[in-house]
Amino acid sequence: MAEEHGRKWDRCLADTAVKTVTGLGVGIVFSVLLFKRRTWPVAFGSGLGVGMGYTNCQNDFRLPYLIHGRMVKDQ
Amino acid sequence: MLRACLRGANATARNNCRRNPLTSVQHCRHYTAGETSGATKVVAAGLLTVSSGIGGTILYAKWDHKFRAAVEKNVPYSDLLFSLALGPSSQEGLPIKKQSEKKVKEAAESPAEESSPATTQPAQSIEGKSLISVSASLEESLASSAKTTLQAIGAQEAALQAITQHTHKLKEAMEAEVPPQEKSAQWKDLEAALANRTCAMNDASTALLKANETLGSLKSVIDKSKGLNIAAVHPLVLAAEENLHNMIVDLDKVVTKVQSAESEAKIVSQYSELVNEAKQQFQREVSSLTPEIQANWKGLTGKLSADDLNALIAHAHRRIDQLNRELAEQRVREQIHIDAALEQQKLEDQKALEKAVNTTLQHVKEEARLEQERKLGELREVMEAEMRTQLRRQAAAHTDHVQDVLKVQEHELRAEAEQVLSSKMLEQETRYRQLNQEQLDNFTLDMNTAYARLKGMEEAIDSHVVAEEEARKAHQLWLSVEALNYTLKTTDSDLPTIPLKSAAEAVRDSCHDNDFALALASALPEESLHRGVYSEASLRARFNSLRSLARRVALIDESHNSLYQYFLSYLQAALLFEDEQKAPPTQLSREDLDPFKLLSYASYCLEHGDLELAAKLVNQLRGETRRVVEDWLTEARLTLETRQVVSLLSAYANAVGLGTTQAP
């Protein structure tokens, strides 16, 4: 059970990090493209990413009985 | 009588010692004429010889019948003489007399004849043998004694002859008027005769001794054979005794004859001695008178002087006077002397008579005894023969009677015996049947008991077998349970045990007829069967690692499960310190339901090996901690369940095993 918890945390952190970076990336792109290199879309995007990650993490932790389905390839 | 004469002669010879030899010869002649003249002497001597010869012949004829027969044949009228002296020549004594013949063979034959009929009777017994030996010894001794007796008799007779010859010669020498030149020859003859006589005497004495010896031995043999006490020996013994007696008698007679001859010879020798003495005395007288004249008194005549002659004549006259006087005296005393002599002679005669009478008495007694014994023997034989016939008759009668009686008895006895036999048989049969029945009963009884025992034993064995089976099964169950128990222990630190399936299978197999065990065996949780269970140590370790996580999510539950709560619970876990282990109280109150406390209680219990209590305490957790320790709890539950079942099974197996195990 502890590994589950650990795994959850790993997933959560990884997910958050990805979202943040993705948000940061999108933010940078939007700032560069649309908003004449303003910083607010970068912060907005990273924040967006962190928020999403945080919520996901929380949901993950809240819904313990939610089974994460995995795609099993037919071999 | 002769001795008296001799004494007289001595006296006169002494008185007449100085006489002239011629006159002494005359005197001698005179002296002898006083008693008897020379012719009478010769006649007497001749008569004596003849009588002794006749006596000897008669004696010998008495002993030897053949001799008697021969004499009777040759000499006429001798049979009259013999019949006068000895009685008729009895022929009935011949068989017995035969045995006393001087021929050794006859003496040997007749005892053999007598003994042979005697021996044929008890031929097979030892008596026969002893009889033969006795008869042999008897005939031997008889033969030897006869020989020696005959020898003795012959020697005695020879001695007698010699003595008579000698005396005759001596008398001749005494009285004969022979010229001097023949005198020496005569004397030589005399000496020869004397020597002969002494020799013969010696021979006779030795022969007599020998004869006595043999007679004595014969007597002893007879006594011995008498002592053997065998009936058939009696006639033999009797005959031997008679022979002995006869021999003794003959020997005695001959000895007496010899003794009489000896006495005669003694008389004659004494007479000759006296004469010699008288001569010597006379010679001494003469020599004393005429000392210068020596030697022979016969040669004196031519050498004497007148004085000597006168002296001699005077002496002779004196001597004649003396002798006349003595003669007168003697005539006076003649009667007295004769009476005295007669008395003496009577006495001696009496003595001799007595002796003779004694000896003859003894002989007669002996003969009578022998006769008696002979008669007894004959009588005994006759009686025996008669008795034998009577006995035979009686025996025949007795045998007949006995036969009849025996037949009757046989019948009686047979009937009796048959009766007795039948009764005994009946008795025996009944007894036999009884015994048989008894035996059968006993046997049946024994068989029944044996059968019952056998049955009992079989049942016992069966029960034993059953019990053993039960025990075996129990043991097997126990073993399988032990195996199961062991498998529980085969855990590494974090890995579960090997699946208990096989052990459970073994358990199930070993108790397939036992519902309780089956139920128990099937009550094992599936997970333990397939996957195995965790050991307590691994659970403990896991719990220790879980504890930190459980502490960290202590505030999270269904309602409070945001990330902020997570952050707060993390903060709480970091900041809150509780005891590592704390002993749980016996009753939980509300504040004890705090996860931290619970965790410390559970830790304590785990540390002290009480998984059950730990599980109970952990069961009180709520929320996220509960979710976190859910797996552990399941595992703990599983383990506890398995352990419970196994312990139950082992307890059951132990109980069953104890029950089946028989205490020694």
Side-chain angles (χ1 to χ4, degrees):
Chain A
M1 198 59 209
E3 309 88 70
E4 188 66 34
H5 201 83
R7 269 198 295 275
K8 267 188 188 159
W9 273 115
D10 287 338
R11 245 195 332 264
C12 181
L13 282 173
D15 190 39
T16 306
V18 162
K19 280 186 171 54
T20 308
V21 166
T22 312
L24 188 69
V26 168
I28 288 173
V29 164
F30 268 89
S31 104
V32 161
L33 290 180
L34 296 171
F35 298 105
K36 308 167 192 148
R37 286 207 198 148
R38 299 209 182 191
T39 48
W40 65 267
V42 174
F44 184 65
S46 60
L48 202 69
V50 165
M52 275 200 295
Y54 179 86
T55 312
N56 267 353
C57 196
Q58 192 174 289
N59 282 338
D60 200 4
F61 276 113
R62 269 183 187 176
L63 305 168
Y65 299 105
L66 199 69
I67 298 167
H68 293 277
R70 290 186 200 96
M71 293 286 279
V72 177
K73 288 183 188 165
D74 292 322
Q75 290 284 340
Chain B
M1 195 170 88
L2 267 171
R3 286 202 203 96
C5 299
L6 274 172
R7 262 189 248 119
N10 266 332
T12 48
R14 260 185 256 115
N15 287 337
N16 298 336
C17 71
R18 290 172 215 252
R19 293 279 176 169
N20 205 339
L22 276 172
T23 51
S24 75
V25 169
Q26 285 170 4
H27 185 73
C28 281
R29 228 188 286 144
H30 201 288
Y31 149 70
T32 52
E35 299 291 332
T36 45
S37 61
T40 324
K41 195 83 162 74
V42 169
V43 166
L47 266 175
L48 190 68
T49 319
V50 167
S51 62
S52 66
I54 289 170
T57 319
I58 290 169
L59 245 167
Y60 193 59
K62 186 173 179 193
W63 199 30
D64 188 3
H65 272 260
K66 267 194 185 168
F67 175 74
R68 177 172 172 167
V71 166
E72 278 178 6
K73 201 166 65 174
N74 294 329
V75 177
Y77 301 113
S78 58
D79 51 350
L80 285 172
L81 185 64
F82 280 142
S83 57
L84 263 174
L86 307 172
S89 67
S90 52
Q91 288 299 317
E92 68 255 22
L94 258 174
I96 300 169
K97 292 291 180 190
K98 253 192 199 167
Q99 291 173 16
S100 62
E101 277 241 336
K102 111 166 126 177
K103 302 285 184 236
V104 175
K105 295 162 200 158
E106 287 200 27
E109 270 175 18
S110 43
E113 281 172 22
E114 281 209 13
S115 65
S116 53
T119 48
T120 47
Q121 285 162 11
Q124 300 89 11
S125 67
I126 304 168
E127 271 197 9
K129 283 184 198 158
S130 65
L131 191 66
I132 293 168
S133 68
V134 159
S135 64
S137 66
L138 269 175
E139 76 192 44
E140 243 186 70
S141 41
L142 261 175
S144 64
S145 55
K147 230 193 323 189
T148 48
T149 318
L150 282 168
Q151 274 177 8
I153 288 173
Q156 298 283 352
E157 298 252 333
L160 188 69
Q161 286 282 326
I163 290 168
T164 48
Q165 215 179 28
H166 175 71
T167 46
H168 185 66
K169 283 238 167 71
L170 193 59
K171 278 188 211 146
E172 268 186 28
M174 289 291 105
E175 298 130 21
E177 291 176 7
V178 290
Q181 46 268 42
E182 288 181 9
K183 262 298 182 196
S184 56
Q186 220 177 23
W187 283 118
K188 281 198 189 115
D189 276 343
L190 193 68
E191 279 173 24
L194 180 67
N196 200 11
R197 171 192 161 168
T198 46
C199 192
M201 288 284 287
N202 286 337
D203 286 339
S205 59
T206 49
L208 184 71
L209 274 171
K210 248 193 346 185
N212 279 334
E213 261 178 44
T214 47
L215 283 171
S217 70
L218 175 65
K219 199 162 171 56
S220 67
V221 165
I222 287 170
D223 287 336
K224 212 170 46 174
S225 53
K226 254 200 253 183
L228 282 173
N229 219 3
I230 303 164
V233 171
H234 278 312
L236 280 179
V237 168
L238 220 60
E241 273 184 349
E242 279 187 8
N243 290 339
L244 178 70
H245 170 65
N246 288 333
M247 282 191 264
I248 289 173
V249 160
D250 292 336
L251 207 60
D252 285 341
K253 279 193 193 152
V254 166
V255 165
T256 46
K257 263 201 296 189
V258 168
Q259 274 177 353
S260 62
E262 263 187 23
S263 61
E264 242 187 71
K266 219 192 299 180
I267 290 170
V268 172
S269 68
Q270 271 182 359
Y271 167 65
S272 73
E273 269 177 32
L274 268 175
V275 165
N276 274 339
E277 216 186 292
K279 281 184 196 160
Q280 276 178 12
Q281 198 175 7
F282 181 67
Q283 198 188 351
R284 263 184 266 137
E285 280 182 6
V286 166
S287 61
S288 71
L289 277 176
T290 56
E292 63 272 13
I293 296 175
Q294 300 291 325
N296 212 347
W297 55 273
K298 284 201 179 159
L300 279 173
T301 39
K303 297 180 187 167
L304 292 170
S305 63
D307 285 333
D308 292 329
L309 277 169
N310 286 335
L312 271 169
I313 287 165
H315 181 74
H317 277 295
R318 257 182 275 135
R319 189 94 177 136
I320 287 168
D321 285 333
Q322 197 199 358
L323 281 173
N324 280 334
R325 258 181 276 137
E326 270 194 16
L327 191 60
E329 226 181 281
Q330 203 63 26
R331 276 214 193 101
V332 168
R333 290 205 189 131
E334 191 183 325
Q335 195 61 38
I336 300 166
H337 279 303
I338 283 171
D339 285 337
L342 274 171
E343 283 292 326
Q344 212 170 23
Q345 193 62 33
K346 240 189 257 179
L347 278 168
E348 281 183 9
D349 275 345
Q350 207 160 13
K351 268 190 232 161
L353 182 75
E354 271 177 23
K355 206 166 99 181
V357 162
N358 279 339
T359 49
T360 42
L361 194 69
Q362 264 179 27
H363 290 161
V364 165
K365 266 191 209 162
E366 191 75 24
E367 271 183 41
R369 191 180 65 81
L370 289 170
E371 184 82 28
Q372 191 186 23
E373 284 198 9
R374 208 182 326 133
K375 287 244 170 62
L376 263 171
E378 287 171 12
L379 196 68
R380 201 177 287 136
E381 274 177 35
V382 166
M383 300 284 277
E384 286 238 3
E386 205 175 309
M387 182 161 293
R388 234 173 261 135
T389 49
Q390 291 293 336
L391 278 171
R392 244 179 270 135
R393 230 181 275 160
Q394 210 172 28
H398 180 67
T399 46
D400 288 336
H401 172 69
V402 161
Q403 261 181 6
D404 292 335
V405 165
L406 274 175
K407 264 190 216 140
V408 166
Q409 259 190 4
E410 192 190 324
H411 280 295
E412 277 180 24
L413 282 171
R414 189 168 289 164
E416 210 181 289
E418 275 183 13
Q419 198 190 13
V420 165
L421 180 74
S422 62
S423 72
K424 279 254 163 14
M425 284 288 288
L426 205 69
E427 198 186 295
Q428 284 289 74
E429 264 202 47
T430 48
R431 229 170 20 136
Y432 174 70
R433 265 197 222 111
Q434 207 179 14
L435 276 171
N436 251 1
Q437 199 60 39
E438 253 183 55
Q439 254 189 0
L440 266 171
D441 291 341
N442 281 342
F443 185 66
T444 326
L445 208 72
D446 288 339
M447 283 295 288
N448 283 342
T449 48
Y451 188 68
R453 281 174 67 193
L454 185 69
K455 274 272 167 253
M457 274 189 341
E458 271 183 7
E459 274 182 26
I461 289 167
D462 286 341
S463 67
H464 260 274
V465 161
V466 164
E468 288 250 349
E469 189 67 33
E470 290 285 317
R472 197 184 57 77
K473 272 196 225 148
H475 281 151
Q476 210 158 352
L477 177 66
W478 184 84
L479 277 170
S480 53
V481 162
E482 281 296 305
L484 187 61
N485 217 353
Y486 183 69
T487 54
L488 273 183
K489 296 190 182 98
T490 57
T491 54
D492 293 334
S493 51
D494 282 327
L495 298 172
T497 61
I498 53 173
L500 303 177
K501 194 179 169 91
S502 56
E505 277 292 323
V507 169
R508 213 171 289 126
D509 286 338
S510 65
C511 64
H512 53 81
D513 58 347
N514 195 345
D515 294 334
F516 181 65
L518 263 176
L520 277 178
S522 50
L524 278 170
E526 284 294 320
E527 281 290 325
S528 70
L529 291 175
H530 295 296
R531 197 208 58 186
V533 290
Y534 282 95
S535 69
E536 200 176 311
S538 66
L539 283 174
R540 204 182 316 131
R542 204 164 134 192
F543 184 78
N544 286 333
S545 60
L546 265 180
R547 190 181 169 170
S548 56
L549 182 60
R551 281 176 79 247
R552 262 188 274 144
V553 295
L555 282 175
I556 312 296
D557 60 10
E558 290 89 7
S559 56
H560 311 90
N561 55 4
S562 66
L563 279 176
Y564 180 58
Q565 294 292 333
Y566 273 94
F567 170 70
L568 284 176
S569 92
Y570 276 35
L571 194 64
Q572 188 190 19
L575 292 176
L576 199 79
F577 296 98
E578 79 278 10
D579 292 326
E580 187 71 32
Q581 294 162 19
K582 196 163 155 189
T586 50
Q587 270 185 339
L588 286 172
S589 61
R590 258 194 89 205
E591 358 357 300
D592 291 325
L593 295 175
D594 180 39
F596 293 97
K597 275 200 184 136
L598 281 169
L599 283 172
S600 68
Y601 289 156
S603 251
Y604 178 86
C605 293
L606 274 176
E607 282 305 308
H608 284 83
D610 195 351
L611 185 59
E612 195 182 332
L613 193 55
K616 280 184 198 165
L617 287 163
V618 162
N619 199 26
Q620 301 303 318
L621 287 169
R622 297 276 174 265
E624 187 64 28
T625 48
R626 179 56 182 270
R627 270 196 54 244
V628 161
V629 297
E630 187 71 35
D631 278 347
W632 185 92
L633 195 58
T634 346
E635 286 299 320
R637 259 203 212 109
L638 206 63
T639 305
L640 278 169
E641 208 178 316
T642 315
R643 270 214 299 190
Q644 192 185 39
V645 167
V646 166
S647 74
L648 270 174
L649 269 173
S650 97
Y652 177 70
N654 278 338
V656 168
L658 271 175
T660 53
T661 311
Q662 288 162 14

